[in-house]
Amino acid sequence: MIADVTAQYAQTEPWILLTEGEQTGVSSIMPQKRNPSGLVRLRAEASNLIGEAGTFALIAHNVEPGMSDYKDFGNPKEYPNVLLRDMAALFAHADAVVRTMIFRPDRALDEVNSDYSTTTELADTLQREADVPFRIGHHFASELVNFGRGHHLRASQIPYPEAQRIYAEIAAISKVETKLPLSEEQFRRSLTAENMVTASKGLGGPQPSEVARMLTAAKDRLDADRAWLDTTRAKLAAAAQAARSGFCSLRESK
């Protein structure tokens, strides 16, 4: 029944689209359909890369002393180059696919609000702001979901008096204060997707401040890697030049 109700109120309009072009293709049988061919190829390339990595690990295992000659089965010295080449191609393809995506935040938000994805935050809010044990808040949130789905309501449409009644019943069973310790404004806010994001405080969370911190840290690491790469390339170029100069000097001395 829950699945039926969810399906009945689910939106069919996508919230992430691929721009028509080289990353999409027309269906061979349905003229109106556009296939996400870029994503399909991306997954296949990732699978190939995993397979190549496994092949390299198995072939490299054959170089132990006393083992039979492995050259007939492929040269493991070449596999790192193959892996790096295919990995670079995979990242380039992934970048191309992502750049064709159109994200529709209004549809994404509506998708979240169409069901009860945020009810865990209701239990967390009760624990955080009213010191209600999580097991009680979880029981209350679960019964609230049953009521809402049973009456074909979104979370935002559940009448506050019904929420108070359901909480009182749960609290009575648990032998605690039966008054819902959240005002209607707090109750409504706790069920919003925006609140679930901003209320998160842990490392690696989705809150804007943490996302900004992680992006800055990732950029710093990328800048450090680029600096190392530039320095290493310069050292290699200098070493190659020194080797050429040494070779020329040795040749001329003879």
Side-chain angles (χ1 to χ4, degrees), residues 31-244:
Q32 81 284 5
K33 186 170 179 267
R34 299 295 180 268
N35 294 323
S37 53
L39 291 174
V40 174
R41 288 199 310 274
L42 186 62
R43 179 174 180 134
E45 290 169 0
S47 299
N48 287 337
L49 188 64
I50 293 172
E52 289 170 356
T55 300
F56 170 61
L58 291 173
I59 291 179
H61 181 72
N62 290 333
V63 300
E64 295 293 333
M67 295 293 287
S68 59
D69 195 343
Y70 57 83
K71 293 185 179 63
D72 291 339
F73 304 99
N75 187 351
K77 293 182 180 179
E78 296 298 325
Y79 266 84
N81 296 329
V82 173
L83 289 174
L84 289 174
R85 180 202 66 202
D86 290 349
M87 185 180 295
L90 176 68
F91 285 143
H93 186 187
D95 177 72
V97 170
V98 171
R99 290 180 184 278
T100 66
M101 288 182 174
I102 300 175
F103 179 67
R104 303 173 61 197
D106 55 333
R107 273 291 301 119
L109 181 60
D110 186 67
E111 187 73 18
V112 174
N113 290 335
S114 67
D115 200 22
Y116 288 83
S117 307
T118 60
T119 46
T120 298
E121 180 57 29
L122 174 59
D124 287 340
T125 298
L126 283 166
Q127 183 179 42
R128 185 174 58 247
E129 298 185 10
D131 201 27
V132 174
F134 185 79
R135 61 179 178 83
I136 296 177
H138 183 279
H139 191 180
F140 165 57
S142 179
E143 290 302 321
L144 201 72
V145 171
N146 289 339
F147 174 85
R149 284 176 169 163
H151 290 78
H152 299 174
L153 299 173
R154 290 188 173 200
S156 60
Q157 297 172 329
I158 295 178
Y160 181 64
E162 290 295 339
Q164 291 176 306
R165 176 188 62 78
I166 294 171
Y167 182 84
E169 293 176 356
I170 302 302
I173 295 173
S174 302
K175 298 180 180 179
V176 297
E177 171 60 45
T178 57
K179 181 182 178 181
L180 178 61
L182 298 178
S183 66
E184 181 170 3
E185 191 276 332
Q186 289 175 308
F187 170 71
R188 299 291 179 202
R189 186 181 69 247
S190 69
L191 289 171
T192 63
E194 295 89 343
N195 176 72
M196 191 166 189
V197 170
T198 57
S200 178
K201 302 299 180 184
L203 291 175
Q207 64 273 31
S209 59
E210 179 62 8
V211 171
R213 184 196 68 79
M214 290 189 291
L215 287 174
T216 299
K219 182 179 181 301
D220 290 343
R221 289 194 299 270
L222 184 59
D223 289 342
D225 288 342
R226 283 173 174 159
W228 176 88
L229 185 60
D230 290 342
T231 300
T232 302
R233 282 173 171 168
K235 289 179 179 179
L236 290 173
Q241 180 60 41
R244 284 192 295 270

